[in-house]
Amino acid sequence: MIKTNPSQPQYEQYASLKLTKYLKANICNKYPNLLQSIIKFDCEYLLKKANPYIKDLISATTQRQNYVLFSMYRTNLKLSSLLPAYAFDSIGAFENFYTYKAEKQ
């Protein structure tokens, strides 16, 4: 059963996709005209280009604990003192992930 626990790189891929979707829905889609007019960039294009950096950030801020039936992942994202920090707790089992806690700190 331990062989069905997803790997750290699989989690990083999963988490970067979830974070990108969240940013698209909560930043790009909510303020598209404002962002383009103020800082003159295409939000979705920027997120696509930032994907490798997002994976690196997740990799650097994630701790993994392996158990027989599942693996637990805790990601603490803190970019700067000006932005809020976030903590995400996820479980990986049977080649799938479930994020059960996401909170602003």
Side-chain angles (χ1 to χ4, degrees):
M1 293 190 98
I2 199 165
K3 289 185 179 187
T4 64
N5 290 355
S7 67
Q8 180 82 17
Q10 288 172 308
Y11 172 77
E12 291 164 11
Q13 177 70 26
Y14 160 81
S16 67
L17 287 172
K18 292 283 273 188
L19 183 56
T20 301
K21 284 181 183 179
Y22 174 84
L23 292 172
K24 279 183 186 178
N26 291 287
I27 305 292
C28 296
N29 293 341
K30 284 189 178 179
Y31 309 104
N33 296 331
L34 177 67
L35 290 173
Q36 287 179 2
S37 64
I38 292 175
I39 42 185
K40 304 208 185 309
F41 77 94
D42 180 357
C43 190
E44 291 194 25
Y45 175 77
L46 180 66
L47 288 175
K48 184 177 179 180
K49 289 294 183 183
N51 192 292
Y53 303 106
I54 292 171
K55 282 184 189 177
D56 289 344
L57 176 64
I58 290 169
S59 176
T61 59
T62 298
Q63 294 179 336
R64 178 183 181 194
Q65 296 176 324
N66 286 317
Y67 299 97
V68 175
L69 299 176
F70 59 93
S71 294
M72 291 182 65
Y73 299 86
R74 175 137 180 109
T75 303
N76 292 303
L77 292 177
K78 175 120 177 104
L79 300 177
S80 78
S81 59
L82 300 174
L83 298 172
Y86 291 89
F88 304 94
D89 291 336
S90 303
I91 291 177
F94 304 106
E95 299 297 330
N96 291 302
F97 294 99
Y98 171 69
T99 300
Y100 63 91
K101 186 165 119 180
E103 62 186 13
K104 186 177 177 180
Q105 297 184 325

